[in-house]
């Protein structure tokens, strides 16, 4: 638990939240400033800053839980689609530095924007990037 972390406090129940599900590892709650109706967050109770910090076992459990919550959201909210979003670092839009997964229900005609401009690439560039990342695994 990080004393100055709001999501540690929410995860541990020290700050009230609109909680959908809770177990010993995770809390699933509604985002207080939702992108759309039913925008959920999955928060580990243990503090991890970001994806680089998260251990594989917790990540596996978290994504398994995400599949269950996503199906429940689809059934309950009758959304037309759903985005899974997870931001790491300020440049990527992370504002709360405690790992969390966004589940954002999508509805026909909603104003949610999660877009980027696709760039051209060439084969040699793609191969060089593949090699660099592969070597770093
Ligand atoms: P990020 O931008 O870090 O990926 O997402 C942080 C999310 O946490 C935002 O969507 C924001 O609305 C939400 N959030 C920030 N503070 C609180 C809070 O106190 N309670 C809840 N339920 N959500 C919060
Ligand atoms: Zn925290």
């Amino acid at each position: 638990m990080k004393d100055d972390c709001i999501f540690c406090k929410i995860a541990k129940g020290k700050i009230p939240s609109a909680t959908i599900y809770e177990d010993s590892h995770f809390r699933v709650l509604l985002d207080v400033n939702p992108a759309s109706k039913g925008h959920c967050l999955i928060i580990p109770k243990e503090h991890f800053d970001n994806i680089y910090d998260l251990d594989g076992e917790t990540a596996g459990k978290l994504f398994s839980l995400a599949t269950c919550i996503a199906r429940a959201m689809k059934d309950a909210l009758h959304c037309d689609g759903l985005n899974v979003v997870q931001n790491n670092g300020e440049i990527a839009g992370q504002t709360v530095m405690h790992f969390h997964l966004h589940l954002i229900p999508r509805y026909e005609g909603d104003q949610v924007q999660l877009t980027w401009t696709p760039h051209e690439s060439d084969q040699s560039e793609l191969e060089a990037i593949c090699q660099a990342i592969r070597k770093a695994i």
Side-chain angles (χ1 to χ4, degrees), residues 6 22 37-38 41-42 48-49 54 59 62 69 74 89 93 96 108 111 124 126 134:
I6 187 162
E22 181 185 6
K37 189 185 78 179
L41 301 172
I42 305 183
F48 303 96
D49 284 347
L54 190 67
L62 188 143
I69 300 296
K74 183 172 182 285
V96 178
E108 294 295 341
Q111 300 295 310
S124 62
L126 296 185
R134 201 182 296 128

Side-chain angles (χ1 to χ4, degrees), residues 94-106:
Q94 186 178 9
T95 58
V96 178
M97 301 301 161
H98 175 129
F99 180 98
H100 52 280
L101 194 74
H102 296 260
L103 298 177
I104 303 176
R106 300 300 304 273

Side-chain angles (χ1 to χ4, degrees), residues 6-7 10 15 17 29-34 39 41 87 93-97 100 102:
I6 187 162
F7 276 10
I10 289 174
I15 293 178
S17 63
L29 61 146
L30 292 179
D31 195 297
V32 78
N33 295 126
H39 179 168
L41 301 172
N87 300 323
Q94 186 178 9
T95 58
V96 178
M97 301 301 161
H100 52 280
H102 296 260

Side-chain angles (χ1 to χ4, degrees), residues 34-79:
S36 64
K37 189 185 78 179
H39 179 168
C40 292
L41 301 172
I42 305 183
I43 303 181
K45 291 195 171 177
E46 190 177 335
H47 180 93
F48 303 96
D49 284 347
N50 49 43
I51 196 169
Y52 315 118
D53 215 16
L54 190 67
D55 67 273
E57 192 183 339
T58 305
K61 286 187 180 136
L62 188 143
F63 208 81
S64 173
L65 176 59
T67 65
C68 171
I69 300 296
R71 283 190 287 268
M73 290 169 69
K74 183 172 182 285
D75 290 348
L77 300 168
H78 308 291
C79 47

Side-chain angles (χ1 to χ4, degrees), residues 123-137:
Q123 199 55 35
S124 62
E125 184 196 10
L126 296 185
E127 277 165 18
I129 295 166
C130 275
Q131 204 177 349
I133 300 173
R134 201 182 296 128
K135 267 173 68 182
I137 292 174

